[in-house]
Amino acid sequence: MEELVGIKDKPKIKHFIWRCLYNNIPVNELIHKRTGKGSPLCKCCGEGEETVEHMIFFCNNADPIWKLAPIQWDRLLQWRSNFWRWWEGILEARSRQRGEDHITLTANIIWQIWKARNARQFEGKYGEHMSILENAKNEWLEFQEEQVENEKKHRTGTSHQMQNHQWRPPDA
């Protein structure tokens, strides 16, 4: 999955991106198509069918988030109607300086858009665009810090796997 998704990130975010790529996110259009229940329209804006692409890019609740985001993918605007093609374009940034960081931050923004969509849809909570971006940035930084810590432990030999412990039976 990591090769297809193309990022080093928390498993839940990699899995979410994978599900977006395979159009397996329970958005209203997909639920309506599969079950015949509910409306395919976006409950957040009511301006179109809620597909993965609508939810991530075109909903009037997602569009301002991308405009405020610290990273811009303007050269990929024409691919927003096809998440798979858009994501392939995103992955081309790997060769750029800090490209991996930009890709991972983008995945975290998408994840937070999804979480904000669910909070609106199921709890009636409307998050502010800047707080959604702040959550994405914080989750990304948290993962970065975990990676640095794991590398330090591995280099110094203090990781659990590298400690030389022998099994002994528990005390009576």
Side-chain angles (χ1 to χ4, degrees):
M1 177 172 51
E2 188 167 313
E3 298 82 32
L4 176 65
V5 174
I7 59 173
K8 294 177 184 172
D9 206 338
K10 293 179 179 180
K12 67 180 179 183
I13 295 175
K14 288 193 296 191
H15 185 247
F16 175 73
I17 296 295
W18 183 86
R19 289 184 69 188
C20 287
L21 288 166
Y22 282 95
N23 199 29
N24 195 12
I25 296 295
V27 291
N28 293 339
E29 181 268 342
L30 187 62
I31 292 169
H32 180 73
K33 186 166 78 173
R34 289 186 180 171
T35 67
K37 296 180 181 175
S39 170
L41 293 178
C42 177
K43 291 181 182 175
C44 295
C45 70
E47 294 180 9
E49 286 191 351
E50 187 190 49
T51 61
V52 168
E53 292 82 5
H54 174 84
M55 185 247 328
I56 293 172
F57 303 117
F58 300 112
C59 179
N60 63 17
N61 289 298
D63 186 52
I65 294 169
W66 290 110
K67 288 179 179 164
L68 295 169
I71 183 155
Q72 301 296 313
W73 300 101
D74 293 339
R75 66 176 188 80
L76 299 174
L77 290 176
Q78 74 270 19
W79 299 116
R80 292 183 305 164
S81 60
N82 181 320
F83 185 81
W84 190 288
R85 298 282 309 261
W86 183 82
W87 188 252
E88 285 178 332
I90 295 293
L91 294 181
E92 290 175 9
R94 281 189 213 147
S95 60
R96 294 190 330 211
Q97 183 179 0
R98 306 242 7 232
E100 294 282 343
D101 289 341
H102 295 166
I103 294 167
T104 306
L105 178 57
T106 299
N108 280 277
I109 292 170
I110 294 168
W111 171 249
Q112 291 300 326
I113 289 172
W114 170 248
K115 287 178 62 175
R117 174 261 187 204
N118 289 338
R120 277 190 307 274
Q121 185 139 340
F122 300 115
E123 301 168 27
K125 295 180 182 175
Y126 284 79
E128 292 183 26
H129 299 122
M130 285 307 292
S131 67
I132 292 167
L133 281 171
E134 192 66 27
N135 291 343
K137 185 182 95 176
N138 289 340
E139 188 142 3
W140 172 68
L141 288 172
E142 179 183 298
F143 179 74
Q144 297 298 322
E145 290 169 7
E146 288 172 9
Q147 293 299 102
V148 169
E149 268 311 302
N150 288 340
E151 286 177 25
K152 282 181 186 176
K153 286 179 183 176
H154 184 71
R155 276 195 306 259
T156 61
T158 57
S159 71
H160 187 315
Q161 295 172 339
M162 297 183 75
Q163 291 176 355
N164 190 11
H165 291 289
Q166 287 204 321
W167 183 87
R168 64 181 176 87
D171 296 332

